């Protein structure tokens, strides 16, 4: 049993990198906090440690991962296939959930099948026409 209370972390495996450049984005400028680097991708070694430690440290029997960016799908589908494999490896009987926030522009049917097969909760942000409302839709 973990000595820590349950807590929640948002994971940003691509840092502040996005394939869009929304004028209102509050997050892209965070790239400037790391002027010495152009490499923001979370490495496989860090991913392995992160997933193991995050699961181990949670007191509850359910563990929720939240993937955000930047645009997290820039990490590629294989990366998230690895995520799910590592979660299974380290679950130790706990129920694992995943939520992912995306601008949706890089999604394909293959991504859709993966999300469906692994029951990811997807947050999809879409900008409407100028002067219109921003549409924000959540769904499985
Ligand atoms: S899609 Fe999201 S993360 Fe990307 S620039 Fe726009 S607001 Fe920022």
């Amino acid at each position: 049993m973990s000595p820590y209370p349950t807590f929640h972390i948002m994971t940003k495996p691509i840092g502040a990198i996005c394939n869009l450049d929304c004028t209102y984005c509050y997050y892209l400028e965070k790239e400037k906090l790391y002027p010495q680097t152009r490499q923001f991708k979370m490495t496989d070694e860090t991913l392995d440690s992160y997933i193991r430690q995050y699961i181990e440290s949670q007191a509850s029997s359910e563990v929720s991962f939240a993937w955000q960016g930047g645009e997290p799908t820039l990490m590629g589908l294989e990366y998230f296939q690895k995520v799910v494999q590592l979660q299974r490896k380290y679950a130790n009987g706990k129920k694992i959930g995943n939520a992912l926030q995306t601008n949706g522009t890089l999604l394909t049917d293959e991504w859709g099948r993966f999300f469906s097969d692994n029951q990811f909760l997807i947050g999809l942000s879409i900008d409407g026409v100028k002067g219109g409302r921003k549409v924000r839709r959540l769904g499985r």
Side-chain angles (χ1 to χ4, degrees):
M1 178 64 120
S2 168
Y4 309 109
T6 297
F7 58 93
H8 195 66
I9 292 178
M10 276 186 200
T11 318
K12 297 170 178 285
I14 194 76
I17 306 300
C18 186
N19 60 325
L20 300 184
D21 190 18
C22 304
T23 53
Y24 52 79
C25 186
Y26 69 92
Y27 196 64
L28 296 187
E29 67 175 28
K30 303 300 180 197
E31 187 181 343
K32 296 180 193 148
L33 294 172
Y34 306 94
Q36 309 303 329
T37 184
R38 298 301 310 152
Q39 165 59 297
F40 293 97
K41 288 187 174 182
M42 184 186 284
T43 64
D44 287 353
E45 292 74 25
T46 301
L47 179 69
D48 189 294
S49 293
Y50 168 59
I51 289 178
R52 179 178 54 77
Q53 291 180 31
Y54 187 50
I55 293 172
E56 282 176 2
S57 63
Q58 298 289 317
S60 67
S61 59
E62 295 190 18
V63 182
S64 297
F65 285 81
W67 305 95
Q68 294 208 355
E71 175 49 46
T73 60
L74 284 172
M75 294 299 287
L77 184 54
E78 278 184 19
Y79 187 85
F80 284 95
Q81 289 167 335
K82 197 175 304 161
V83 162
V84 170
Q85 285 170 6
L86 290 169
Q87 290 171 336
R88 289 189 186 125
K89 178 178 173 185
Y90 294 122
N92 196 23
K94 293 182 178 178
K95 185 176 179 202
I96 309 293
N98 287 285
L100 183 142
Q101 184 71 31
T102 177
N103 61 37
T105 55
L106 301 174
L107 298 183
T108 61
D109 288 349
E110 203 179 359
W111 275 103
R113 276 189 293 276
F114 170 79
F115 290 148
S116 175
D117 290 347
N118 294 286
Q119 297 188 302
F120 271 54
L121 176 68
I122 301 301
L124 185 59
S125 298
I126 304 172
D127 281 351
V129 294
K130 191 173 182 181
R133 286 185 310 152
K134 178 159 183 162
V135 177
R136 190 169 282 264
R137 193 175 286 159
L138 293 172
R140 267 189 200 277

PDB file of all heavy atoms in Angstrom, residues 66-100:
ATOM      1  N   ALA A  66      -3.438  11.185 -17.456  1.00  0.00           N
ATOM      2  CA  ALA A  66      -3.964  12.255 -18.312  1.00  0.00           C
ATOM      3  C   ALA A  66      -2.845  12.732 -19.224  1.00  0.00           C
ATOM      4  O   ALA A  66      -1.803  13.194 -18.753  1.00  0.00           O
ATOM      5  CB  ALA A  66      -4.487  13.404 -17.465  1.00  0.00           C
ATOM      6  N   TRP A  67      -3.064  12.601 -20.527  1.00  0.00           N
ATOM      7  CA  TRP A  67      -2.038  12.951 -21.517  1.00  0.00           C
ATOM      8  C   TRP A  67      -2.434  14.247 -22.206  1.00  0.00           C
ATOM      9  O   TRP A  67      -3.518  14.345 -22.773  1.00  0.00           O
ATOM     10  CB  TRP A  67      -1.899  11.820 -22.542  1.00  0.00           C
ATOM     11  CG  TRP A  67      -1.608  10.503 -21.889  1.00  0.00           C
ATOM     12  CD1 TRP A  67      -2.508   9.535 -21.545  1.00  0.00           C
ATOM     13  CD2 TRP A  67      -0.329  10.015 -21.460  1.00  0.00           C
ATOM     14  NE1 TRP A  67      -1.875   8.478 -20.940  1.00  0.00           N
ATOM     15  CE2 TRP A  67      -0.539   8.744 -20.868  1.00  0.00           C
ATOM     16  CE3 TRP A  67       0.967  10.524 -21.530  1.00  0.00           C
ATOM     17  CZ2 TRP A  67       0.506   7.980 -20.349  1.00  0.00           C
ATOM     18  CZ3 TRP A  67       2.004   9.752 -21.004  1.00  0.00           C
ATOM     19  CH2 TRP A  67       1.770   8.514 -20.436  1.00  0.00           C
ATOM     20  N   GLN A  68      -1.512  15.231 -22.146  1.00  0.00           N
ATOM     21  CA  GLN A  68      -1.781  16.533 -22.763  1.00  0.00           C
ATOM     22  C   GLN A  68      -0.530  17.028 -23.475  1.00  0.00           C
ATOM     23  O   GLN A  68       0.502  16.403 -23.454  1.00  0.00           O
ATOM     24  CB  GLN A  68      -2.179  17.539 -21.675  1.00  0.00           C
ATOM     25  CG  GLN A  68      -3.497  17.214 -21.003  1.00  0.00           C
ATOM     26  CD  GLN A  68      -4.183  18.447 -20.477  1.00  0.00           C
ATOM     27  OE1 GLN A  68      -3.648  19.554 -20.530  1.00  0.00           O
ATOM     28  NE2 GLN A  68      -5.386  18.277 -19.966  1.00  0.00           N
ATOM     29  N   GLY A  69      -0.629  18.206 -24.069  1.00  0.00           N
ATOM     30  CA  GLY A  69       0.528  18.795 -24.723  1.00  0.00           C
ATOM     31  C   GLY A  69       0.654  20.249 -24.322  1.00  0.00           C
ATOM     32  O   GLY A  69       0.186  20.632 -23.250  1.00  0.00           O
ATOM     33  N   GLY A  70       1.084  21.055 -25.337  1.00  0.00           N
ATOM     34  CA  GLY A  70       1.283  20.708 -26.723  1.00  0.00           C
ATOM     35  C   GLY A  70       0.268  19.715 -27.276  1.00  0.00           C
ATOM     36  O   GLY A  70      -0.805  19.564 -26.746  1.00  0.00           O
ATOM     37  N   GLU A  71       0.671  19.049 -28.326  1.00  0.00           N
ATOM     38  CA  GLU A  71      -0.204  18.073 -28.957  1.00  0.00           C
ATOM     39  C   GLU A  71       0.372  16.671 -28.717  1.00  0.00           C
ATOM     40  O   GLU A  71       1.375  16.292 -29.349  1.00  0.00           O
ATOM     41  CB  GLU A  71      -0.325  18.386 -30.451  1.00  0.00           C
ATOM     42  CG  GLU A  71      -1.123  17.363 -31.240  1.00  0.00           C
ATOM     43  CD  GLU A  71      -2.473  17.020 -30.578  1.00  0.00           C
ATOM     44  OE1 GLU A  71      -3.188  17.933 -30.149  1.00  0.00           O
ATOM     45  OE2 GLU A  71      -2.780  15.819 -30.503  1.00  0.00           O
ATOM     46  N   PRO A  72      -0.224  15.891 -27.825  1.00  0.00           N
ATOM     47  CA  PRO A  72       0.379  14.608 -27.452  1.00  0.00           C
ATOM     48  C   PRO A  72       0.453  13.596 -28.593  1.00  0.00           C
ATOM     49  O   PRO A  72       1.321  12.717 -28.584  1.00  0.00           O
ATOM     50  CB  PRO A  72      -0.523  14.106 -26.315  1.00  0.00           C
ATOM     51  CG  PRO A  72      -1.813  14.843 -26.481  1.00  0.00           C
ATOM     52  CD  PRO A  72      -1.451  16.170 -27.072  1.00  0.00           C
ATOM     53  N   THR A  73      -0.429  13.713 -29.597  1.00  0.00           N
ATOM     54  CA  THR A  73      -0.376  12.722 -30.680  1.00  0.00           C
ATOM     55  C   THR A  73       0.872  12.899 -31.554  1.00  0.00           C
ATOM     56  O   THR A  73       1.187  12.014 -32.361  1.00  0.00           O
ATOM     57  CB  THR A  73      -1.640  12.779 -31.571  1.00  0.00           C
ATOM     58  OG1 THR A  73      -1.746  14.084 -32.150  1.00  0.00           O
ATOM     59  CG2 THR A  73      -2.890  12.460 -30.779  1.00  0.00           C
ATOM     60  N   LEU A  74       1.600  14.008 -31.380  1.00  0.00           N
ATOM     61  CA  LEU A  74       2.879  14.154 -32.089  1.00  0.00           C
ATOM     62  C   LEU A  74       3.885  13.081 -31.644  1.00  0.00           C
ATOM     63  O   LEU A  74       4.877  12.841 -32.319  1.00  0.00           O
ATOM     64  CB  LEU A  74       3.480  15.545 -31.842  1.00  0.00           C
ATOM     65  CG  LEU A  74       2.836  16.698 -32.605  1.00  0.00           C
ATOM     66  CD1 LEU A  74       3.403  18.031 -32.112  1.00  0.00           C
ATOM     67  CD2 LEU A  74       3.075  16.555 -34.104  1.00  0.00           C
ATOM     68  N   MET A  75       3.621  12.449 -30.504  1.00  0.00           N
ATOM     69  CA  MET A  75       4.502  11.362 -30.052  1.00  0.00           C
ATOM     70  C   MET A  75       4.332  10.119 -30.917  1.00  0.00           C
ATOM     71  O   MET A  75       5.191   9.231 -30.901  1.00  0.00           O
ATOM     72  CB  MET A  75       4.201  11.002 -28.591  1.00  0.00           C
ATOM     73  CG  MET A  75       4.533  12.092 -27.596  1.00  0.00           C
ATOM     74  SD  MET A  75       6.271  12.558 -27.581  1.00  0.00           S
ATOM     75  CE  MET A  75       7.037  11.155 -26.785  1.00  0.00           C
ATOM     76  N   GLY A  76       3.253  10.027 -31.642  1.00  0.00           N
ATOM     77  CA  GLY A  76       3.028   8.867 -32.511  1.00  0.00           C
ATOM     78  C   GLY A  76       2.252   7.761 -31.811  1.00  0.00           C
ATOM     79  O   GLY A  76       2.287   7.627 -30.587  1.00  0.00           O
ATOM     80  N   LEU A  77       1.560   6.972 -32.621  1.00  0.00           N
ATOM     81  CA  LEU A  77       0.724   5.895 -32.086  1.00  0.00           C
ATOM     82  C   LEU A  77       1.548   4.832 -31.364  1.00  0.00           C
ATOM     83  O   LEU A  77       1.139   4.308 -30.325  1.00  0.00           O
ATOM     84  CB  LEU A  77      -0.071   5.270 -33.233  1.00  0.00           C
ATOM     85  CG  LEU A  77      -1.068   4.183 -32.862  1.00  0.00           C
ATOM     86  CD1 LEU A  77      -2.049   4.634 -31.792  1.00  0.00           C
ATOM     87  CD2 LEU A  77      -1.818   3.719 -34.107  1.00  0.00           C
ATOM     88  N   GLU A  78       2.725   4.516 -31.905  1.00  0.00           N
ATOM     89  CA  GLU A  78       3.564   3.488 -31.273  1.00  0.00           C
ATOM     90  C   GLU A  78       3.907   3.848 -29.837  1.00  0.00           C
ATOM     91  O   GLU A  78       4.022   2.981 -28.965  1.00  0.00           O
ATOM     92  CB  GLU A  78       4.859   3.284 -32.068  1.00  0.00           C
ATOM     93  CG  GLU A  78       4.677   2.373 -33.250  1.00  0.00           C
ATOM     94  CD  GLU A  78       5.988   2.117 -33.969  1.00  0.00           C
ATOM     95  OE1 GLU A  78       7.070   2.339 -33.386  1.00  0.00           O
ATOM     96  OE2 GLU A  78       5.918   1.702 -35.133  1.00  0.00           O
ATOM     97  N   TYR A  79       4.094   5.138 -29.600  1.00  0.00           N
ATOM     98  CA  TYR A  79       4.417   5.585 -28.248  1.00  0.00           C
ATOM     99  C   TYR A  79       3.286   5.236 -27.288  1.00  0.00           C
ATOM    100  O   TYR A  79       3.515   4.721 -26.195  1.00  0.00           O
ATOM    101  CB  TYR A  79       4.653   7.097 -28.262  1.00  0.00           C
ATOM    102  CG  TYR A  79       5.160   7.656 -26.963  1.00  0.00           C
ATOM    103  CD1 TYR A  79       6.514   7.646 -26.651  1.00  0.00           C
ATOM    104  CD2 TYR A  79       4.282   8.204 -26.039  1.00  0.00           C
ATOM    105  CE1 TYR A  79       6.982   8.159 -25.451  1.00  0.00           C
ATOM    106  CE2 TYR A  79       4.738   8.717 -24.837  1.00  0.00           C
ATOM    107  CZ  TYR A  79       6.098   8.693 -24.559  1.00  0.00           C
ATOM    108  OH  TYR A  79       6.548   9.203 -23.371  1.00  0.00           O
ATOM    109  N   PHE A  80       2.060   5.486 -27.712  1.00  0.00           N
ATOM    110  CA  PHE A  80       0.932   5.209 -26.820  1.00  0.00           C
ATOM    111  C   PHE A  80       0.635   3.709 -26.730  1.00  0.00           C
ATOM    112  O   PHE A  80       0.116   3.244 -25.718  1.00  0.00           O
ATOM    113  CB  PHE A  80      -0.289   6.030 -27.240  1.00  0.00           C
ATOM    114  CG  PHE A  80      -0.126   7.471 -26.826  1.00  0.00           C
ATOM    115  CD1 PHE A  80       0.384   8.401 -27.711  1.00  0.00           C
ATOM    116  CD2 PHE A  80      -0.411   7.865 -25.534  1.00  0.00           C
ATOM    117  CE1 PHE A  80       0.587   9.720 -27.311  1.00  0.00           C
ATOM    118  CE2 PHE A  80      -0.213   9.171 -25.119  1.00  0.00           C
ATOM    119  CZ  PHE A  80       0.286  10.105 -26.018  1.00  0.00           C
ATOM    120  N   GLN A  81       1.003   2.965 -27.771  1.00  0.00           N
ATOM    121  CA  GLN A  81       0.916   1.495 -27.648  1.00  0.00           C
ATOM    122  C   GLN A  81       1.881   1.021 -26.561  1.00  0.00           C
ATOM    123  O   GLN A  81       1.564   0.129 -25.774  1.00  0.00           O
ATOM    124  CB  GLN A  81       1.235   0.843 -29.001  1.00  0.00           C
ATOM    125  CG  GLN A  81       0.123   1.063 -30.016  1.00  0.00           C
ATOM    126  CD  GLN A  81       0.515   0.710 -31.441  1.00  0.00           C
ATOM    127  OE1 GLN A  81       1.693   0.731 -31.794  1.00  0.00           O
ATOM    128  NE2 GLN A  81      -0.467   0.410 -32.273  1.00  0.00           N
ATOM    129  N   LYS A  82       3.058   1.653 -26.524  1.00  0.00           N
ATOM    130  CA  LYS A  82       4.029   1.322 -25.484  1.00  0.00           C
ATOM    131  C   LYS A  82       3.495   1.721 -24.103  1.00  0.00           C
ATOM    132  O   LYS A  82       3.677   1.009 -23.114  1.00  0.00           O
ATOM    133  CB  LYS A  82       5.344   2.062 -25.779  1.00  0.00           C
ATOM    134  CG  LYS A  82       6.527   1.524 -25.043  1.00  0.00           C
ATOM    135  CD  LYS A  82       7.799   2.228 -25.481  1.00  0.00           C
ATOM    136  CE  LYS A  82       8.014   2.147 -26.980  1.00  0.00           C
ATOM    137  NZ  LYS A  82       8.949   3.137 -27.496  1.00  0.00           N
ATOM    138  N   VAL A  83       2.838   2.871 -24.037  1.00  0.00           N
ATOM    139  CA  VAL A  83       2.234   3.327 -22.777  1.00  0.00           C
ATOM    140  C   VAL A  83       1.313   2.249 -22.208  1.00  0.00           C
ATOM    141  O   VAL A  83       1.408   1.869 -21.040  1.00  0.00           O
ATOM    142  CB  VAL A  83       1.442   4.640 -23.008  1.00  0.00           C
ATOM    143  CG1 VAL A  83       0.466   4.905 -21.860  1.00  0.00           C
ATOM    144  CG2 VAL A  83       2.396   5.814 -23.192  1.00  0.00           C
ATOM    145  N   VAL A  84       0.438   1.735 -23.054  1.00  0.00           N
ATOM    146  CA  VAL A  84      -0.543   0.745 -22.602  1.00  0.00           C
ATOM    147  C   VAL A  84       0.166  -0.550 -22.180  1.00  0.00           C
ATOM    148  O   VAL A  84      -0.191  -1.167 -21.165  1.00  0.00           O
ATOM    149  CB  VAL A  84      -1.578   0.488 -23.719  1.00  0.00           C
ATOM    150  CG1 VAL A  84      -2.458  -0.699 -23.380  1.00  0.00           C
ATOM    151  CG2 VAL A  84      -2.428   1.730 -23.928  1.00  0.00           C
ATOM    152  N   GLN A  85       1.182  -0.946 -22.922  1.00  0.00           N
ATOM    153  CA  GLN A  85       1.946  -2.154 -22.547  1.00  0.00           C
ATOM    154  C   GLN A  85       2.590  -1.992 -21.170  1.00  0.00           C
ATOM    155  O   GLN A  85       2.547  -2.890 -20.334  1.00  0.00           O
ATOM    156  CB  GLN A  85       3.043  -2.428 -23.581  1.00  0.00           C
ATOM    157  CG  GLN A  85       2.528  -3.005 -24.881  1.00  0.00           C
ATOM    158  CD  GLN A  85       3.614  -3.027 -25.962  1.00  0.00           C
ATOM    159  OE1 GLN A  85       4.772  -2.724 -25.707  1.00  0.00           O
ATOM    160  NE2 GLN A  85       3.214  -3.349 -27.172  1.00  0.00           N
ATOM    161  N   LEU A  86       3.185  -0.818 -20.945  1.00  0.00           N
ATOM    162  CA  LEU A  86       3.849  -0.577 -19.661  1.00  0.00           C
ATOM    163  C   LEU A  86       2.829  -0.503 -18.527  1.00  0.00           C
ATOM    164  O   LEU A  86       3.090  -0.984 -17.414  1.00  0.00           O
ATOM    165  CB  LEU A  86       4.663   0.727 -19.724  1.00  0.00           C
ATOM    166  CG  LEU A  86       5.904   0.660 -20.607  1.00  0.00           C
ATOM    167  CD1 LEU A  86       6.482   2.053 -20.833  1.00  0.00           C
ATOM    168  CD2 LEU A  86       6.958  -0.249 -19.983  1.00  0.00           C
ATOM    169  N   GLN A  87       1.684   0.076 -18.796  1.00  0.00           N
ATOM    170  CA  GLN A  87       0.643   0.130 -17.759  1.00  0.00           C
ATOM    171  C   GLN A  87       0.207  -1.280 -17.373  1.00  0.00           C
ATOM    172  O   GLN A  87       0.007  -1.564 -16.193  1.00  0.00           O
ATOM    173  CB  GLN A  87      -0.547   0.959 -18.256  1.00  0.00           C
ATOM    174  CG  GLN A  87      -0.225   2.443 -18.373  1.00  0.00           C
ATOM    175  CD  GLN A  87      -1.320   3.233 -19.058  1.00  0.00           C
ATOM    176  OE1 GLN A  87      -2.107   2.677 -19.831  1.00  0.00           O
ATOM    177  NE2 GLN A  87      -1.378   4.525 -18.795  1.00  0.00           N
ATOM    178  N   ARG A  88       0.076  -2.154 -18.368  1.00  0.00           N
ATOM    179  CA  ARG A  88      -0.299  -3.548 -18.056  1.00  0.00           C
ATOM    180  C   ARG A  88       0.808  -4.225 -17.247  1.00  0.00           C
ATOM    181  O   ARG A  88       0.544  -4.968 -16.300  1.00  0.00           O
ATOM    182  CB  ARG A  88      -0.555  -4.322 -19.347  1.00  0.00           C
ATOM    183  CG  ARG A  88      -1.847  -3.884 -20.027  1.00  0.00           C
ATOM    184  CD  ARG A  88      -2.217  -4.800 -21.205  1.00  0.00           C
ATOM    185  NE  ARG A  88      -3.359  -4.260 -21.904  1.00  0.00           N
ATOM    186  CZ  ARG A  88      -3.415  -3.981 -23.204  1.00  0.00           C
ATOM    187  NH1 ARG A  88      -2.376  -4.234 -23.977  1.00  0.00           N
ATOM    188  NH2 ARG A  88      -4.500  -3.475 -23.743  1.00  0.00           N
ATOM    189  N   LYS A  89       2.042  -3.950 -17.639  1.00  0.00           N
ATOM    190  CA  LYS A  89       3.185  -4.560 -16.959  1.00  0.00           C
ATOM    191  C   LYS A  89       3.227  -4.172 -15.485  1.00  0.00           C
ATOM    192  O   LYS A  89       3.537  -5.000 -14.626  1.00  0.00           O
ATOM    193  CB  LYS A  89       4.480  -4.115 -17.674  1.00  0.00           C
ATOM    194  CG  LYS A  89       5.760  -4.614 -17.058  1.00  0.00           C
ATOM    195  CD  LYS A  89       6.949  -4.138 -17.894  1.00  0.00           C
ATOM    196  CE  LYS A  89       8.273  -4.468 -17.232  1.00  0.00           C
ATOM    197  NZ  LYS A  89       9.411  -3.902 -18.002  1.00  0.00           N
ATOM    198  N   TYR A  90       2.925  -2.912 -15.174  1.00  0.00           N
ATOM    199  CA  TYR A  90       3.098  -2.422 -13.808  1.00  0.00           C
ATOM    200  C   TYR A  90       1.783  -2.282 -13.028  1.00  0.00           C
ATOM    201  O   TYR A  90       1.797  -1.817 -11.887  1.00  0.00           O
ATOM    202  CB  TYR A  90       3.820  -1.063 -13.838  1.00  0.00           C
ATOM    203  CG  TYR A  90       5.241  -1.147 -14.348  1.00  0.00           C
ATOM    204  CD1 TYR A  90       5.662  -0.404 -15.457  1.00  0.00           C
ATOM    205  CD2 TYR A  90       6.168  -1.986 -13.726  1.00  0.00           C
ATOM    206  CE1 TYR A  90       6.964  -0.488 -15.931  1.00  0.00           C
ATOM    207  CE2 TYR A  90       7.480  -2.074 -14.193  1.00  0.00           C
ATOM    208  CZ  TYR A  90       7.874  -1.325 -15.294  1.00  0.00           C
ATOM    209  OH  TYR A  90       9.168  -1.416 -15.754  1.00  0.00           O
ATOM    210  N   ALA A  91       0.676  -2.659 -13.615  1.00  0.00           N
ATOM    211  CA  ALA A  91      -0.634  -2.420 -12.980  1.00  0.00           C
ATOM    212  C   ALA A  91      -0.760  -3.095 -11.616  1.00  0.00           C
ATOM    213  O   ALA A  91      -1.369  -2.542 -10.698  1.00  0.00           O
ATOM    214  CB  ALA A  91      -1.747  -2.898 -13.899  1.00  0.00           C
ATOM    215  N   ASN A  92      -0.213  -4.280 -11.472  1.00  0.00           N
ATOM    216  CA  ASN A  92      -0.248  -4.989 -10.188  1.00  0.00           C
ATOM    217  C   ASN A  92      -1.670  -5.070  -9.620  1.00  0.00           C
ATOM    218  O   ASN A  92      -1.906  -4.811  -8.437  1.00  0.00           O
ATOM    219  CB  ASN A  92       0.691  -4.286  -9.198  1.00  0.00           C
ATOM    220  CG  ASN A  92       1.009  -5.164  -8.008  1.00  0.00           C
ATOM    221  OD1 ASN A  92       0.911  -6.391  -8.096  1.00  0.00           O
ATOM    222  ND2 ASN A  92       1.354  -4.551  -6.890  1.00  0.00           N
ATOM    223  N   GLY A  93      -2.613  -5.365 -10.481  1.00  0.00           N
ATOM    224  CA  GLY A  93      -4.007  -5.538 -10.040  1.00  0.00           C
ATOM    225  C   GLY A  93      -4.828  -4.257 -10.009  1.00  0.00           C
ATOM    226  O   GLY A  93      -6.041  -4.297  -9.789  1.00  0.00           O
ATOM    227  N   LYS A  94      -4.188  -3.108 -10.204  1.00  0.00           N
ATOM    228  CA  LYS A  94      -4.939  -1.850 -10.193  1.00  0.00           C
ATOM    229  C   LYS A  94      -5.617  -1.623 -11.539  1.00  0.00           C
ATOM    230  O   LYS A  94      -5.128  -2.075 -12.581  1.00  0.00           O
ATOM    231  CB  LYS A  94      -4.008  -0.672  -9.891  1.00  0.00           C
ATOM    232  CG  LYS A  94      -3.443  -0.703  -8.477  1.00  0.00           C
ATOM    233  CD  LYS A  94      -2.573   0.494  -8.202  1.00  0.00           C
ATOM    234  CE  LYS A  94      -2.073   0.456  -6.766  1.00  0.00           C
ATOM    235  NZ  LYS A  94      -1.177   1.559  -6.453  1.00  0.00           N
ATOM    236  N   LYS A  95      -6.740  -0.901 -11.501  1.00  0.00           N
ATOM    237  CA  LYS A  95      -7.442  -0.551 -12.740  1.00  0.00           C
ATOM    238  C   LYS A  95      -6.811   0.724 -13.294  1.00  0.00           C
ATOM    239  O   LYS A  95      -6.698   1.722 -12.577  1.00  0.00           O
ATOM    240  CB  LYS A  95      -8.925  -0.331 -12.451  1.00  0.00           C
ATOM    241  CG  LYS A  95      -9.738  -0.074 -13.691  1.00  0.00           C
ATOM    242  CD  LYS A  95     -11.211   0.041 -13.382  1.00  0.00           C
ATOM    243  CE  LYS A  95     -11.950   0.318 -14.686  1.00  0.00           C
ATOM    244  NZ  LYS A  95     -13.240   0.931 -14.460  1.00  0.00           N
ATOM    245  N   ILE A  96      -6.441   0.693 -14.561  1.00  0.00           N
ATOM    246  CA  ILE A  96      -5.757   1.833 -15.176  1.00  0.00           C
ATOM    247  C   ILE A  96      -6.688   2.524 -16.167  1.00  0.00           C
ATOM    248  O   ILE A  96      -7.328   1.868 -16.993  1.00  0.00           O
ATOM    249  CB  ILE A  96      -4.488   1.377 -15.942  1.00  0.00           C
ATOM    250  CG1 ILE A  96      -3.588   0.503 -15.065  1.00  0.00           C
ATOM    251  CG2 ILE A  96      -3.736   2.586 -16.504  1.00  0.00           C
ATOM    252  CD1 ILE A  96      -2.947   1.202 -13.913  1.00  0.00           C
ATOM    253  N   GLY A  97      -6.752   3.848 -16.094  1.00  0.00           N
ATOM    254  CA  GLY A  97      -7.527   4.631 -17.053  1.00  0.00           C
ATOM    255  C   GLY A  97      -6.648   5.652 -17.742  1.00  0.00           C
ATOM    256  O   GLY A  97      -5.607   6.054 -17.214  1.00  0.00           O
ATOM    257  N   ASN A  98      -7.043   6.049 -18.944  1.00  0.00           N
ATOM    258  CA  ASN A  98      -6.298   7.046 -19.699  1.00  0.00           C
ATOM    259  C   ASN A  98      -7.243   8.092 -20.266  1.00  0.00           C
ATOM    260  O   ASN A  98      -8.298   7.753 -20.810  1.00  0.00           O
ATOM    261  CB  ASN A  98      -5.562   6.399 -20.883  1.00  0.00           C
ATOM    262  CG  ASN A  98      -4.365   5.589 -20.458  1.00  0.00           C
ATOM    263  OD1 ASN A  98      -3.320   6.138 -20.108  1.00  0.00           O
ATOM    264  ND2 ASN A  98      -4.506   4.267 -20.461  1.00  0.00           N
ATOM    265  N   ALA A  99      -6.849   9.371 -20.153  1.00  0.00           N
ATOM    266  CA  ALA A  99      -7.551  10.463 -20.824  1.00  0.00           C
ATOM    267  C   ALA A  99      -6.528  11.212 -21.667  1.00  0.00           C
ATOM    268  O   ALA A  99      -5.366  11.351 -21.263  1.00  0.00           O
ATOM    269  CB  ALA A  99      -8.187  11.398 -19.808  1.00  0.00           C
ATOM    270  N   LEU A 100      -6.933  11.639 -22.842  1.00  0.00           N
ATOM    271  CA  LEU A 100      -5.997  12.334 -23.736  1.00  0.00           C
ATOM    272  C   LEU A 100      -6.692  13.542 -24.349  1.00  0.00           C
ATOM    273  O   LEU A 100      -7.805  13.424 -24.875  1.00  0.00           O
ATOM    274  CB  LEU A 100      -5.504  11.371 -24.816  1.00  0.00           C
ATOM    275  CG  LEU A 100      -4.461  11.897 -25.797  1.00  0.00           C
ATOM    276  CD1 LEU A 100      -3.424  10.806 -26.121  1.00  0.00           C
ATOM    277  CD2 LEU A 100      -5.094  12.407 -27.092  1.00  0.00           C
TER     278      LEU A 100
END
